Amino acid sequence: MDEKQYYVGLDIGTTNVVMVVGSRVAGSQTIKIESLSSEPSKKSIVKGLVTNRSVFRNSVNAVKKELEKSLDVKIEQAYFGVGNADVRGVVVEDMIAVRNKETGVITKEDIMLLEQRIHKVELRELRETIINIEPICYYINGTKRVLDPVGMQGSYVVGHYLITLGIKDAIAALKALKNAVGLEAQQIFANATIGYKLLVSEQEAQKGVVLVDIGGGITDVTIIREGRIQAFKSFGLGSENIDSDIKTILPPNGNAVLIKHKYGCAMAMDVPENQVLQMGGRDVLLRNVAAVIEARVMDIIDLVVGFVRESGFEELIECGYVLTGGATELKSISDLFGRETLRPCRCADHLYNVEMPSDEEVVTYGQQMAVAVMLAGASYAPSNVFKGALIGTDLHSESEQGAADKGVEEETAQDPQGGVKPTAEDGGQAVGGGENQPTESNDTPTEINKQSRFRKLFKPAKSILNNLLGGGSTNSGVGE
């Protein structure tokens, strides 16, 4: 009998906490969704930040126990997905000399050492911590732009990396789950940096697309091109704002969330003028409800479009927009996005790189990110192959970690002055008083019941953007 590798993803959302378990037969590339559970966050999370740890732990424990019971396993580790307005991306640039002086061939070890140097970057905000680091592109000898320099020739390589930063206190609240409910974080991901691997096609990712995840308290916007993230930003606006707006036109005891889920429409013109709902002795025009929803979604669209424009990618997203998150359940929301952006727009109705247990099983828009977290975990490192009832293991052996540390020590000994270089936006000066500093730009800005089924904008370096535009100039202010 084939052994399975199991992966657990936990999406910590403002509205719901969602956990999913996936598996992969040893030697296979296909990941199958085994089961999924969702539990309301019960106001323990505000704008993606844990504000009531006790209630939050209870919600996590509930989904954990339900999956343990349904799958007859014990879950001790999981990959965590987070999203809040304080999660942000910055671009750093560093260079490394090619070690083989005779051939000038760039090796994997060269790039590994470059990435290790990036990991040692000093943060100017003491309350922040690094969540993730991903490459954007490389320049061989500072001029030839490539996505993968391994095997090419040159004397040195300059790497541009996207560093995802989060708040230490928020991460600490998640790590505390190990003692509270027996669930340890194998790795923590920022939702804005992983969703595209599940929800965007390979063609869209190459040609340029914007993934918009409208959650309960946060809207994540991610620009993908050349198969990689080029920029992302999280805004503190989401479905809860829509709910609050709807409440203003309902009777005192009106259930705005229920009305939104049952009758919600993002375009008022798509609702008949005479459609009336009787509630609390009052007549509520559903077109008025739609008008309130449309106004708030328009606010979100303005933020999304503004971010894409100021990032300099407005003309580079050939495939338009893909929508996910609980608010995507709203009727006509993709039509409204398409009308306002003048770009193709679709809802994320297809999941890539995973297999559903059956045709009848459904993952709602609000649950998709938990699957994305699980998928990211499966891509991050192999999980433990087990026969019994334990899910989770250490990601790296001591020998592997020791080898990596040794490589960094050797490289540091060769180049004691080496460090992360600030990008062009800072005029070549270190940021915040230290040599190894990330560079950053200026600011720009559901389910109702439990189910057991299926800040800052960074600006890419001017050289990157001009290269994408074929050397043309932009009016986005990038690097200015």
Side-chain angles (χ1 to χ4, degrees), residues 1 11 36 40 42 45 49 122 143 154 179 183 208 233 242 264 279 301 317 329 342 384 386 403 456:
M1 182 177 180
D11 176 31
L36 183 151
K42 299 175 183 176
I45 301 172
L49 296 173
E122 295 178 7
T143 56
N179 295 326
L183 186 66
K233 184 169 177 63
I242 297 175
M279 178 181 293
I301 292 175
I317 50 168
E329 303 281 356
L342 301 178
N384 185 32
F386 72 100
K456 291 185 181 179

Side-chain angles (χ1 to χ4, degrees), residues 319-335:
C319 297
Y321 295 80
V322 176
L323 308 182
T324 186
T328 310
E329 303 281 356
L330 290 167
K331 300 181 184 69
S332 303
I333 190 168
S334 61
D335 295 334

